[in-house]
Every structure is written in structure tokens, then in C-alpha cells.
Amino acid sequence: MKPVRKAVLPVAGIGTRFLPATKAVPKEMLPLVDKPLIEYAIAEAREAGIEEFIIVTGKNKPAIRSHFEPDQRLENLLREAGKEDLLHYASPAYKNLTFVEQPGPYGLGHAIWWTRHLVGDEPFAVLLPDDVIMSKKPCIGELISVHNERGGNVIALEQVAPESAHLYGIVETTSHSERHMEISNIVEKPVLGTAPSNLGIVGRYILHPDVMENLERDSRLPNTEIQLTNAIVASGKSKGTHGVLISGRRFDCGTKRGYLSATIAFALE
Ligand code: UTP
């Protein structure tokens, strides 16, 4: 089995739930204490041993790319001001970041499919940076461990209250231990009272390259948003899809409430 070396970070969404803050500033650039959200996801993946990062930006999101590029002007200004200790912010030592531009907000599945030539024929991690996870061990590392043992697809899960289930992708499971389960189906945003379980998907995945083929098939359907969950369910039929109950605390920073909770929790930390 090939190791998980690459991570895809889709950041091309419109961020409607956080308007007007996200009109000019991409959601993933909102600061959590002193770092933009996207840096937390990259740090988590790096700690788990990921070597290459593929960032899917939207057409109007130059700020994300600028954030990671060296800034000679800022470097000069910091030198002139005698603030050498801050120089690493001007020219961050980020290696192996590749940016691809999604042509339009055609859905999470489309954003991932758009990276297929860079991902190639190997398993890969997906991190949605607006889900920030506070934990001792990197959450994506827990998923990589399960993938190393069992292969297939691996999805991070958390328990959700019945009244919040309609906000999540909810999984249907066949076998279940305390923290690990086999997933047979995923229902996107179920109508109140119809959720197949209380386990909702968190924005961390390890995906088998087979998922790209299923996304490719969906991309030929006219006028449909390409759903990632459909492609995972289809891939899971032959490759298996495993769920892992996360051990850390997840904050949905795509919502004002989640973002505010995360700000307080990280600031106190
Ligand atoms: P969301 O469902 O949170 O959508 O996307 P969004 O547009 O970012 O935010 P809202 O719902 O309008 O408030 C989940 C993840 O998928 C990425 C987003 O950037 C986010 O990381 N995404 C979504 C894309 O990269 N491209 C898309 O076409 C859609």
C-alpha cells in the first residue's frame, strides 16, 4: 500500500455564512488569534508527516497565495526597522505548496477532482481548513494510522445532536467499536428526524485514488454540483470506507459561532 504523502486543501468556497467578512478576505484567511485558519490545517498535516500540499483556491482569492509567498518589500522594511526576529513572517519557509485555481465554486467534489493530475495514483489527505481541530495528536495523523492498517477511505467523525444533524453529512454504519466503524452510506444534510446515526462528518479525510475516478464520472453529468460524499460511497463499495471518531475538539470556523468559540479556546490555550 502506498503511503499518504500529499494533502489537498480546498479553499475555493464562497463563504456565504460569514459575509460580509468574506467578501474581500477569504474565509481561510480569517485569523484565529494570530494565524490565519489555513495555517492551522497545514501545521496539523505537517505534524502528521505530509510532505506536499495542494491548495485549491478560487479565482478571487489571491490573498491565500500571497500569504505563503516571500515578500521582499516587507522583509526590507523589517530589516530597516531592526525587527530581524520577525523576518520569518515575511519569507515563510513553506516548501512544496502548489496552488491550483478552481474555475468556479462548483462544489467540494469538483475542487478535489480539479487536483487529480497533481494527486496521481496514490492515497491522499483532504483537510477543510475551516474545520479547526484542537487536539494533542494531529487529527489527520489518526486517520493516516487507520489507513495504514486498513487501506480504503477514512473519514473523521464526531457525535452530533439530533437537532444539528441536518447541518452535516451523516454516516450509516455496519460495524462499530468505540472509536472505529465501517461506513456503508452517507446522507448529506438529512431532513430532521431521518438521520441514519448521530455521527457527522468532520472536514478530514484520507481518500483512495479511486475516488477521483468516481468524481470524474460525476463531472460528466450536466448541471450538477459534484458531491464528494457520493464519490466516497461509490469508492467504498469496493475499497471500504472507515470512520474514526476524533479525539480532539472540532470548531466549525465557517460559522460565526464556531469561529468565536475557537478564538476563545485557542486564546486561552
Ligand atoms: P463549505 O460548504 O463550507 O462552503 O465548503 P463555503 O462556500 O466555503 O462556505 P458557505 O457554506 O457558503 O458559508 C467546504 C469546503 O470546501 C471548499 C470550501 O472552501 C471549504 O473549505 N469548497 C467548497 C471549494 O474549495 N470549492 C467549492 O466549490 C466549494
Side-chain angles (χ1 to χ4, degrees), residues 77-133:
L77 288 171
L78 290 172
R79 272 189 217 287
E80 280 165 26
K83 296 185 174 171
E84 273 81 6
D85 56 319
L86 302 179
L87 280 176
H88 60 283
Y89 292 129
S91 300
Y94 281 106
K95 289 195 196 101
N96 301 328
L97 299 190
T98 307
F99 292 87
V100 289
E101 204 174 86
Q102 192 184 10
Y106 303 137
L108 173 59
H110 182 274
I112 290 173
W113 176 66
W114 208 241
T115 68
R116 64 199 180 284
H117 303 301
L118 295 164
V119 167
D121 187 28
E122 54 184 281
F124 60 103
V126 174
L127 295 95
L128 308 189
D130 53 351
D131 264 348
V132 177
I133 297 165

Side-chain angles (χ1 to χ4, degrees), residues 33-48:
V33 188
D34 59 353
K35 289 196 295 274
L37 295 179
I38 191 165
E39 276 204 29
Y40 288 86
I42 290 190
E44 178 189 326
R46 272 184 153 185
E47 206 184 323

Side-chain angles (χ1 to χ4, degrees), residues 167-178:
L167 302 171
Y168 288 77
I170 302 288
V171 299
E172 202 171 326
T173 58
T174 49
S175 65
H176 214 296
S177 67
E178 204 185 325

Side-chain angles (χ1 to χ4, degrees), residues 7 22 52 54 129 131 186 214 229 240-241:
T22 47
E52 283 184 43
I54 302 161
D131 264 348
I186 304 170
N214 289 293
T229 45
T241 299

